Structure formats: structure tokens, C-alpha cells
Amino acid sequence: MRILTYIRQVLDAEESVHIANNAVALENSKLVMDTMDEYGVEEALRLRESGIEAEIVAVAVGPARVQDALRTALAMGADRAIHVETDIRLDAIALSKVLAQLAKQEEATLILSGGQQADWDSHALAAATAERLNWPQVTWTSALALAGTILTGKHDADEGSESFTLELPVVVTTQQGLNEPRYPTLPNIMKSKKKELRKESLNQFDVTPKLNFVSAEIQVKNRLNKILDGKDAPAAAAQLVDLLRNEARVIA
Amino acid sequence: MILVVVEYANGKVSKSTWEMITAARESGREGPVTALVLGSNIAAVAAEVAKAVDQVLVADLPALAQYDPELWSAAVAQIATEGEASLVLLGGSRSGREYSPRVAIKLDAPLLEDVISLKATGETITAQRYTFLARVTETIESTAPIAVATIKPGVFNAATPKAEAAEQFDVDLSLPAPRLKVTGKTAERSSRISLSEAEIVVSGGRGVGSAEGFTQYVEALADQLGAAVGATRAIVDAGWRPYSEQVGQTGKTVQPKTYIAIGISGAVQHLSGMNKSKTIVAINRDAEAPIFKIADYGIIGDVTQLVPAILTELKK
Ligand SMILES: Cc1cc2nc3c(=O)[nH]c(=O)nc-3n(C[C@H](O)[C@H](O)[C@H](O)COP(=O)(O)OP(=O)(O)OC[C@H]3O[C@@H](n4cnc5c(N)ncnc54)[C@H](O)[C@@H]3O)c2cc1C
């Protein structure tokens, strides 16, 4: 079988956000593979290590620099990578069109993708891709196992969690807690340099986004930052309660 | 028409639904605000929501007893098409965010996800949403004749029901066969005030020391203040608290008047779920903890000494 793991390159969570020309500026910032997608790559590797014969293909859409994230996936253990290169920013619905076509071309039967993208704060990609392929989906998985074409596992629902069974092909979203992603080792980093990283152009996917990105703003609420020293606990507690009661008026 | 897909739990219309109705009314799109209720044994839900909308469509079918993204998206897309909807609103719950993309693709519509504002002028809809782990507010625009949007919970005012109820209509649906089989459920509904509706949230992190520490400090303070309790991912993963209490990127987003963070470092993934709270209070023994940067009030010190002292003070 063939597993596609979809990868995004995002701002490192520890980096601060800068805005230029009405959009978040990523130049000169540390960019990494989206953590949520890392769980996807790791899970693909684990499914293979559990005895399933699978080729793992890492896929990404974005500007030239995105290949660094794909290299990370290859160094973790993915077999090859496909990079659809474009400087156009695509929303999840538009992006899913690319991913679905690639899945068909590659005859994939399992797609793994992060549950929420750390740049768009979007949950839409996996479900949109599943819909385009007419496949079922399962989101926010916290456990997965594959036997033949039967995928079982656990995922988060509105309240609590559910165990499920599904038959492949399926689109799955991953999240923290599903596994602990491995670090690429030096030998694997060296090996990954020889792995195939195929470039494709966006043109052939016939994508027309229906959403425009108009502007971006960092809205920092000015906080009071009244921080007390708590060495004398009763005194600090009294002062805090007084502030919350009489200044902020948020407690009775 | 503007189609609002009703969210409900335990036979009661959820707060998110009243918020969606407000978003629908304020959107500037024309036509009756139409509520769609999907499920089984939902007469009470339909009757309740009828008091705040122009008409109610009810699909009360055994096949809809269980939420399923494929069934839900098929149902909503069918009704939206038949009713020539120009705007379809879904809740920003896990399920709403999960099946809304399928609805958008079925309708060949753009998806405005998790929006905090929504304004139509002519064909153009302008919306705002948080991005980059809720650190940025982005404005997006759709120019399609129909758009699907999920409404971020806790942002729009709740619509108030009137005495008079709108007319209800039963609808016929052609639904696909479910493919996802749910083989078990673990409900994690806590008996406390719900996180999304509470005015005060008291949350605990690893700094509370243990599950017992959470009860002793976080729950005790929450009880004293009539607050809901929240938790960080670290302690949910450690099994100290149920997932339903987790606040953050992969948990719930809360926006209470007051958020009290106890023994929480303030990782961006946690902040993304609570940084829109009106007043933020933090207790942490590390003066360098990032949580203090976004706090209005805080104490640098030990949870085990400070929380009991605060409780004593509150009882005075
Ligand atoms: C993809 C992804 C998604 C994530 N989603 C979420 C999410 O939804 N929600 C979430 O919360 N996290 C999430 N995380 C995890 C997040 O990065 C942090 O690891 C987590 O929030 C840390 O929890 P904590 O503050 O309880 O623990 P820690 O970071 O260990 O902090 C404990 C704090 O307690 C203080 N402390 C210790 N003892 C005491 C004491 N006796 N008195 C006072 N203070 C004390 C310490 O100084 C420290 O600041 C996610 C991570 C990833 C990678």
C-alpha cells in the first residue's frame, strides 16, 4: 500500500510573529515542519514497522523553502517526497484539490495530515481532501492500528472520545499524544539526501481559490502585568484578592 | 435563505446555536434565518430553536441518531441546495469543524472557518479569524454566491428566544450509508460548569504537582469562585484530568471574563486557547514563565502556599 503524509512548513512556535504587507512575514524566522504533521509522518513509519508493507510518500505544497520540511520527513524515514511548488497562498479547500489529485495519481489508500495547521489554525484540509476523493475520514486520532485494510483506533469527538473501525481508503488527522515523533539520526539525514524529491508545478492541478486573504494584524491586548512577589504568601494573597475585588472587579 | 445548523447536547440547544443565529441576523445576507435540526428524537430541540428563527427544518431520522461527518455533510448540502441558501452557518465545535469542509466542497463554496466576524455586502463576504495559534487576526474575503462558515464559539452574542415560535417543516433526505463505525464511547462530560460558558475559569498545570494537588488547589479555588476548571495538555496527558478540560490548541478555546492559571508555564499552544480572556491571573514560582507576559495580575511563588492563602482570604 501507499501512504501519503501531508506536510506543512510553519513558523516555529517559539518564534514571534511579524507582519509586513498585510500578511505574516516569514523571512528571517525559524521555520519547521508543523508539529501536527510530524505525528503523521511518525505514525506512517510506525504502521510500517508494525508489519505492513507500505511506501511512505511525503507531500507538500508551497514555496521553494518548503523542501526543507520534506527533507526532514525523508530523514525521519519517508521513502520519497513530492513538492508542488508555488508562491500562491492556498486555503485548505483549494489545497485539498492538489492533495486529492496526488493521492489518485499515487494510488494511495491512506493519507495522514495534521489535525490543525499552526499557521492557518485550520482543521479543514483532511476533511476537504476526503470529500474530494469520496473517502471517509477520521480526525483527531489518538491511537491507530491497521490490519489488512481495516483501520481501527481512537479519536476525539465533541465530548470525550470514540473508538472506531473503518475500511481503507481513509484520510486521518493526527495530533499530539498519538505518538512521540523520532528525531532524524545523522546516518538517516545522510541517506535522505539521496532520496527522490520530485518537483511538480501547481499549474497542472487547476486550482482556483475562492478565498482572498485581505490583511493580517497582531492584536496584542495590553495587559496590566501587575506581578506580585509571593515570598510572604498571606500578604501577597491578600493583595491579589484586593486587586481582583476592588480594581479589576472580577470577583465578589 | 441563511441556513443555521443547530448544535445541541442532551436535548437542549447549545449556546453556540444562539450565537450562530445572531451571526446570521447580523451577516447582511438576505432571506429568512432557517434552522436545520439533524438527529433522532429532536422534537424538543426543534421547538426550542423555533423561538429565535424564521423557520425550522427538521430531519428526525433514526439514521441520524449518531453524528457522522459524511451523513451530516450530505444532509446540510442537500438542504442548502434545495433552499438556495446563500450562507450556511455551522458551529465551531469539533464536529462542525470536521464536516464543514465536506459541505463546502459539495456546494462548491468557500469555507470561512472559525470566524469571529462576518459581514456581507453584495456578493462579497468579509470575515475575520484568528491564525498563527491565535496570535494574529486575519481578514479574509469570499466573492462566491454561497459561502459556508463555522462560527467560533463565545464571540457572538447569544440570540434571545421570543414567545412566538416559527413554523416547523419535516424534510426528506437521501443519505449515504455510514462508513465510520463507532465501536465505543468514552464520555468525559464533567459535572461542573461548562468551560465555554463560565465567567471564571481556574486552570491548573504541572505546577500543581499531582492529581491530588489539582483537587486541593484548582478545584477548591474554582468551587470558591463558582468557576469552571481547565487543564493543560501536560496534565491531561499525565492522566490527572480528563481531556474535556484541556484548554489550548488541541483542547478547548475559552474566553471568560477571568482566567486564573495555576502552575502553568504558558506555552503558545496553551495560550492559543485562552489568550483572549478579559483578565488573566497567573500563579507560578518562575518569574520568567511566559504566562506572566500575558497576565494582568500574578504572584511569583509556590502554589502550595499561595492557593491556600488565597482561599483563606476569599473566605474572610
Ligand atoms: C502540537 C501541540 C499541541 C499542543 N496542544 C496543547 C493544548 O491544547 N493545551 C496545552 O496546554 N498544551 C498543549 N501543548 C503542550 C504545550 O506545548 C506545553 O507542553 C504544555 O502546555 C505545558 O503544560 P504545563 O504548563 O502544565 O507544564 P510545564 O510547561 O511543565 O509548566 C509547569 C509550570 O509550573 C510551574 N511550577 C512548578 N511547580 C510549581 C509550584 N510548586 N508552584 C508554582 N509554580 C510551579 C513551573 O515554573 C512551570 O512554569 C501542545 C503541544 C504541541 C506540540
Side-chain angles (χ1 to χ4, degrees), chain B residues 205-206 232-233 246-250 263 265 269-270 284-285 303:
Chain B
R206 221 184 326 233
T232 64
R233 175 109 210 185
Q246 185 181 311
V247 172
Q249 183 192 3
T250 43
S265 59
Q269 295 92 351
H270 184 78
N284 196 304
R285 67 177 176 201
V303 166

Side-chain angles (χ1 to χ4, degrees), chain B:
Chain B
M1 73 175 185
I2 304 174
L3 192 63
V4 172
V5 187
V6 175
E7 290 198 327
Y8 58 91
N10 299 326
K12 280 207 66 77
V13 175
S14 302
K15 194 168 162 235
S16 60
T17 302
W18 306 115
E19 294 168 0
M20 281 190 271
I21 294 168
T22 301
R25 297 224 183 272
E26 292 176 354
S27 70
R29 278 264 149 123
E30 285 177 11
V33 174
T34 305
L36 172 64
V37 195
L38 300 171
S40 177
N41 295 320
I42 45 175
V45 175
E48 192 186 351
V49 78
K51 294 187 177 157
V53 293
D54 303 320
Q55 55 179 350
V56 184
L57 305 179
V58 188
D60 196 336
L61 303 166
L64 294 176
Q66 285 281 342
Y67 160 75
D68 179 299
E70 293 188 69
L71 270 59
W72 254 242
S73 57
V76 174
Q78 186 190 324
I79 300 298
T81 306
E82 285 170 7
E84 295 177 7
S86 60
L87 182 61
V88 180
L89 299 184
L90 306 164
S93 58
R94 265 186 204 284
S95 54
R97 284 143 121 189
E98 183 187 68
Y99 77 89
S100 53
R102 298 192 90 115
V103 177
I105 286 177
K106 282 184 204 292
L107 297 173
D108 196 19
L111 175 66
L112 307 158
E113 218 184 334
D114 232 15
V115 301
I116 54 168
S117 79
L118 194 68
K119 206 83 218 162
T121 25
E123 293 250 294
T124 307
I125 300 183
T126 308
Q128 285 187 307
R129 58 189 304 272
Y130 298 131
T131 57
F132 286 83
L133 301 176
R135 293 185 285 176
V136 173
T137 306
E138 277 198 271
T139 303
I140 51 176
E141 194 183 78
S142 133
T143 48
I146 175 166
V148 177
T150 55
I151 303 295
K152 191 170 185 67
V155 178
F156 288 87
N157 290 323
T160 24
K162 299 175 297 235
E164 210 176 305
E167 222 179 321
Q168 296 183 28
F169 305 91
D170 286 323
V171 292
D172 276 332
L173 294 173
S174 55
L175 296 169
R179 293 190 276 193
L180 177 79
K181 281 190 199 72
V182 175
T183 53
K185 271 185 196 288
T186 327
E188 284 178 338
R189 189 171 281 282
S190 72
S191 52
R192 301 181 153 269
I193 312 170
S194 106
L195 265 175
S196 47
E197 296 180 20
E199 301 238 310
I200 306 178
V201 173
V202 183
S203 275
R206 221 184 326 233
V208 303
S210 61
E212 294 69 40
F214 191 96
T215 305
Q216 200 178 339
Y217 307 118
V218 181
E219 293 197 284
L221 187 57
D223 285 342
Q224 183 66 34
L225 296 171
V229 302
T232 64
R233 175 109 210 185
I235 73 168
V236 170
D237 284 348
W240 299 358
R241 300 305 297 179
Y243 173 70
S244 55
E245 289 175 2
Q246 185 181 311
V247 172
Q249 183 192 3
T250 43
K252 293 205 167 79
T253 302
V254 299
Q255 211 168 348
K257 290 217 173 85
T258 312
Y259 189 87
I260 306 180
I262 300 178
I264 291 176
S265 59
V268 280
Q269 295 92 351
H270 184 78
L271 302 188
S272 84
M274 48 65 77
N275 64 4
K276 303 291 183 293
S277 304
K278 228 180 197 153
T279 300
I280 295 174
V281 184
I283 295 172
N284 196 304
R285 67 177 176 201
D286 175 8
E288 301 298 317
I291 191 79
F292 284 128
K293 292 206 181 70
I294 66 148
D296 294 291
Y297 301 98
I299 309 183
I300 302 162
D302 202 289
V303 166
T304 59
Q305 287 163 20
L306 287 168
V307 178
I310 292 168
L311 283 167
T312 309
E313 194 61 36
L314 285 172
K315 284 174 191 154
K316 270 184 193 168

Side-chain angles (χ1 to χ4, degrees), chain A residues 84-114:
Chain A
V84 180
E85 211 176 309
T86 175
D87 288 325
I88 300 172
R89 184 172 163 194
L90 300 174
D91 64 277
I93 298 291
L95 203 50
S96 69
K97 197 166 176 192
V98 180
L99 197 51
Q101 287 176 69
L102 280 174
K104 271 189 209 149
Q105 284 167 20
E106 294 288 331
E107 295 176 342
T109 49
L110 178 61
I111 299 177
L112 296 166
S113 152

Side-chain angles (χ1 to χ4, degrees), chain A residues 3 41-54 56 76-77 182 188:
Chain A
I3 306 176
V41 176
E42 178 63 34
E43 199 58 23
L45 298 170
R46 289 190 187 200
L47 288 173
R48 181 163 65 189
E49 284 157 6
S50 77
I52 282 145
E53 218 172 287
I56 301 168
M76 285 174 77
R182 68 198 65 189
N188 283 341

